Amino acid sequence: MPLLHPRIHTTIDVGNPPSSPDESRYKSIQIHFHGFAYLPHARGRGIISPRFSMNGHQWELGVYPGGELHARHTPRSSTYLAIYIRLCSQGSVTASFDVKLLNKFGDLACRMRSPAINWRSDMITEWSWPQVMRRSKVLDENRYILDDDGTLAIVVSTKEDATAAFVPKNPLTKMMKGMFNDETTADVCFEVCSAEGKDDDDGTKRAKTS
């Protein structure tokens, strides 16, 4: 059975909304899982979002409406909504995630956070929250989690660890050193020995001029 792909909805602000310096480092995207009550809810049946870009990498968010297959607390976990985030692109990045469930009024209903993880495409590609909220609570109309069309709204936010930025070595030093030591490009080429090195017979250092 093919996986279902809900549409991704981004939020666009006009003007500068107030935020703390820490919040301004986050990039957010909102994902709508339409018809949540009718999504497959057998344990281990996941629904994934289309891939989206954050901090130069491709990610996807998935939900298990009836609990993930490898949850530690079974069968209790089979009654819980589970959520996971997965790195889909190659390479590595250090990032933390903040995932929120919104109710039909746009207010916070539930929140999960991950630590700063060194995501690597060859090793660590996924982080999950196996017990987000009981499925019965998500479906409870008195809790107003789903909107009038039965849509579950999830907001994913992330900030990249500044220490993860790659700064390449500057090749200029090596290039300049090579040019200075090249007799064909240097006006004057000095050969300086270490303190333990030997001088010429007359006790002077050697130099070549062109």
Side-chain angles (χ1 to χ4, degrees), residues 21-95:
D22 183 68
E23 289 176 343
S24 64
R25 297 173 58 190
Y26 278 85
K27 177 180 179 180
S28 299
I29 189 168
Q30 186 170 143
I31 304 174
H32 290 173
F33 288 86
H34 299 285
F36 179 82
Y38 304 102
L39 296 179
H41 56 273
R43 187 162 65 91
R45 292 294 302 274
I47 311 298
I48 62 172
S49 74
R51 294 181 180 182
F52 51 89
S53 179
M54 280 185 163
N55 293 321
H57 289 267
Q58 292 292 308
W59 308 85
E60 67 183 19
L61 182 122
V63 301
Y64 294 97
E68 62 178 348
L69 184 62
H70 302 293
R72 294 180 181 178
H73 307 287
T74 56
R76 182 169 176 248
S77 292
S78 63
T79 64
Y80 278 79
L81 164 70
I83 296 177
Y84 70 86
I85 187 83
R86 178 181 295 156
L87 173 66
C88 300
S89 55
Q90 297 297 312
S92 63
V93 62
T94 300

Side-chain angles (χ1 to χ4, degrees), residues 16 30 35 66 71 87 99 111 113 136 153 158:
N16 296 318
Q30 186 170 143
L87 173 66
V99 177
R111 185 174 193 174
R113 289 177 175 174
S136 59
T158 186

Side-chain angles (χ1 to χ4, degrees), residues 138-209:
V138 177
L139 298 176
D140 188 348
E141 295 181 356
N142 294 323
R143 293 182 178 273
Y144 305 108
I145 303 297
L146 305 179
D147 68 11
D148 294 337
D149 296 323
T151 299
L152 177 67
I154 300 177
V155 175
V156 182
S157 304
T158 186
K159 64 176 180 179
E160 191 173 36
D161 191 336
T163 60
F166 172 69
V167 180
K169 293 183 179 180
N170 190 344
L172 181 60
T173 302
K174 185 176 181 180
M175 293 171 57
M176 293 297 293
K177 183 178 179 180
M179 293 177 65
F180 281 128
N181 289 333
D182 189 344
E183 295 183 6
T184 61
T185 57
D187 293 329
V188 178
C189 184
F190 294 94
E191 294 184 14
V192 182
C193 300
S194 63
E196 292 78 13
K198 293 183 179 180
D199 297 334
D200 289 338
D201 293 338
D202 60 357
T204 61
K205 303 295 183 184
R206 293 174 292 162
K208 179 179 177 62
T209 60

